[in-house]
Amino acid sequence: MRTSSWLAQIIPLVEICSAASSKRGLVFTPNAEHAGDNKLWVQSGSDLTWYYNYQSSPSPAYSSLSQDQFEFIPMMWGIGSDPNDTKFLTDVKKLIDDGTKIKHVLGFNEPDTSSAYGGSNIKPADAALAWVANFEPLGKMGVKLGLPACTGGWDSLPWLKQFLGNCSELVSTGKDKKNCTWDFLPVHWYDNFAGLASHIGEREATWPNKSIWITEYAFAHQDLKPTQEFYNQTIDYFDKLDSIGRYSYFGAFRSTNSNVGANAAFLDKSGKLTDIGSWYLGFAATGVTPESSKAALLEPTVGSLILGVIAGILVGSL
């Protein structure tokens, strides 16, 4: 009887340690040399519920999965020479017409910075033209719209405000002032936790009651310990904060392919899940360090201690 009582108290704790997060998604950056890595993110038991790939079309690697299983979110990464081009709108409408349940779309990738740093480098006025041509019609169809995902730099907020001002001018007529449609605000961040919390708070104050999605983030180019500490802080913070609608850590690649530092990667150089990679999927620590495929000795975690207690109780009851 005492054994059953102990188990009744401990098992809920184990469930808490492995609780899933419906907010958690994948920034998909496929590795052509190691296509098998793609399946790691959707293995049985994975916490990941959605993904984006910086494109308007789903990735072939996940073509067998329905939107209910693994939601694809199209992105209009940037614009070409004609900001009024509607290719993105056409692509998304075709997906919908073909039966794909597109519920959300993402705006431009880091339009406030140059291509040398991975940005789409778009002037706010041009971005507004592209938004009205491609996103406003999707909003009228019931698709939820994510604003352009700016960098964590000082210019990001002024860029967004200018963009929204330009957009408002385009949809307004005479004295009838209107605002462009949008539903959530994606942000990117690659520095420490205090800065991230401040960055989010500034946007919450600017646009109260709007959902925020962290669509790229990591503590870039740091030692392993602060990288893991940052990861654990942010996961707890995002899951508890109501204003955070979704989040996607930038790390779904091998450490040798990382441009944000090896320690941020989900996989070591041989393709084994690191602690952060395994934690992000909802599993236990692996002890695999990003720089090596050898397992390292781990300090006991709450989950491992609880499982150890359960094992001891079960053995003692035999």
Side-chain angles (χ1 to χ4, degrees), residues 295-306:
L297 292 175
L298 297 176
E299 295 181 2
T301 62
V302 173
S304 64
L305 289 173
I306 292 172

Side-chain angles (χ1 to χ4, degrees), residues 147-151 154-165 179-187 198-213 243-244:
L147 282 180
C150 288
T151 67
W154 294 108
D155 292 335
S156 60
L157 195 59
W159 190 99
L160 279 170
K161 289 180 177 180
Q162 182 64 54
F163 160 75
L164 290 171
N179 294 318
C180 279
T181 307
W182 64 279
D183 300 284
F184 59 96
L185 172 62
V187 301
S198 175
H199 191 74
I200 291 172
E202 184 180 39
R203 277 138 190 79
E204 288 176 326
T206 305
W207 295 289
N209 304 316
K210 283 289 189 178
S211 179
I212 295 174
W213 289 25
S243 61
I244 303 300

Side-chain angles (χ1 to χ4, degrees), residues 19-263:
S21 172
S22 61
K23 297 181 179 183
R24 201 171 301 174
L26 172 70
V27 188
F28 184 50
T29 54
N31 184 340
E33 295 180 1
H34 303 285
D37 293 353
N38 302 337
K39 299 301 181 183
L40 290 171
W41 321 126
V42 292
Q43 63 181 285
S44 177
S46 170
D47 271 2
L48 309 191
T49 60
W50 63 279
Y51 80 101
Y52 76 98
N53 59 7
Y54 301 100
Q55 300 175 27
S56 58
S57 299
S59 297
Y62 307 121
S63 60
S64 63
L65 300 175
S66 70
Q67 285 290 86
D68 293 332
Q69 292 174 301
F70 199 42
E71 181 189 1
F72 168 65
I73 300 181
M75 169 186 267
M76 186 173 178
W77 186 87
I79 64 175
S81 57
D82 179 11
N84 293 299
D85 182 83
T86 57
K87 182 181 184 304
F88 180 77
L89 172 63
T90 300
D91 289 348
V92 175
K93 287 179 69 175
K94 186 177 188 306
L95 286 173
I96 295 172
D97 291 342
D98 290 344
T100 303
K101 300 176 184 177
I102 299 299
K103 300 177 182 178
H104 307 86
V105 289
L106 295 167
F108 319 112
N109 184 72
E110 300 189 351
D112 57 319
T113 195
S114 72
S115 57
Y117 297 99
S120 54
N121 193 24
I122 310 173
K123 294 178 181 179
D126 289 338
L129 288 169
W131 186 272
V132 171
N134 291 274
F135 289 85
E136 288 293 313
L138 291 173
K140 292 177 181 177
M141 294 170 60
V143 177
K144 300 297 183 183
L145 311 179
L147 282 180
C150 288
T151 67
W154 294 108
D155 292 335
S156 60
L157 195 59
W159 190 99
L160 279 170
K161 289 180 177 180
Q162 182 64 54
F163 160 75
L164 290 171
N166 292 145
C167 208
S168 179
E169 291 175 0
L170 292 174
V171 297
S172 298
T173 53
K175 294 182 179 180
D176 184 18
K177 297 297 181 182
K178 297 180 180 179
N179 294 318
C180 279
T181 307
W182 64 279
D183 300 284
F184 59 96
L185 172 62
V187 301
H188 291 179
W189 188 259
Y190 288 101
D191 209 325
N192 61 38
F193 178 77
L196 171 61
S198 175
H199 191 74
I200 291 172
E202 184 180 39
R203 277 138 190 79
E204 288 176 326
T206 305
W207 295 289
N209 304 316
K210 283 289 189 178
S211 179
I212 295 174
W213 289 25
I214 317 299
T215 51
E216 274 189 30
Y217 81 101
F219 196 8
H221 305 291
Q222 301 296 315
D223 291 337
L224 184 57
K225 184 177 179 181
T227 302
Q228 291 183 334
E229 289 174 346
F230 171 85
Y231 169 83
N232 286 314
Q233 277 184 300
T234 56
I235 291 295
D236 182 65
Y237 183 67
F238 294 158
D239 284 337
K240 289 180 178 177
L241 201 62
D242 290 338
S243 61
I244 303 300
R246 297 190 183 185
Y247 60 87
S248 48
Y249 186 93
F250 190 71
F253 34 72
R254 299 191 179 203
S255 58
T256 47
N257 299 111
S258 176
N259 64 349
V260 290
N263 290 322

